Amino acid sequence: MEKLAQMNLQTLEQQLTTGTTVLFFTADWCPDCRFIKPAMPEIEQEFSQYRFILVDRDENIDLCAELGIMGIPSFVVYRDGTEIDRFVDKNRKTKEQVERFLRKIG
């Protein structure tokens, strides 16, 4: 999975102008993030039509604030430069929940 460099929302949106991208917000210290991380390679493989980018919350705290990401792990999906959906809250997420969310965005 590609890791996002530190940037602001405007710069990020300029990089997401084509295709569908799933932003995975996480942090090393987060136990719920560590719970879902092992499943991410399988999720990426199952949804290979999407580009997945890991966003370290601590390295991109301003970006998270701009996007309203208050809880992690969280997922935000962009299609052709526009946010189309999000799975954002402070709760632990299972592989099945993430897959259900990604199927819903079609």
Side-chain angles (χ1 to χ4, degrees), residues 8 14 33 52 63 96 100 102:
N8 63 27
Q14 290 170 356
C33 300
F52 285 81
L63 174 64
E96 293 75 23
R100 191 175 323 120
L102 294 173

Side-chain angles (χ1 to χ4, degrees), residues 48-65:
S48 60
Q49 69 272 32
Y50 304 141
R51 174 181 173 204
F52 285 81
I53 300 177
L54 184 143
V55 182
D56 186 297
R57 177 209 169 267
D58 295 337
E59 291 176 10
N60 282 286
I61 194 76
D62 292 338
L63 174 64
C64 288

Side-chain angles (χ1 to χ4, degrees), residues 22 43 47 50 52 98-106:
V22 179
I43 292 170
F47 296 91
Y50 304 141
F52 285 81
V98 174
E99 289 171 337
R100 191 175 323 120
F101 165 71
L102 294 173
R103 276 190 214 96
K104 180 182 77 160
I105 64 168

Side-chain angles (χ1 to χ4, degrees), residues 69-92:
I69 306 295
M70 301 303 188
I72 52 175
S74 288
F75 298 84
V76 176
V77 180
Y78 276 79
R79 181 169 292 140
D80 299 328
T82 303
E83 181 182 327
I84 61 166
D85 208 350
R86 55 176 47 208
F87 187 14
V88 175
D89 58 36
K90 62 181 176 154
N91 299 317
R92 176 174 283 189

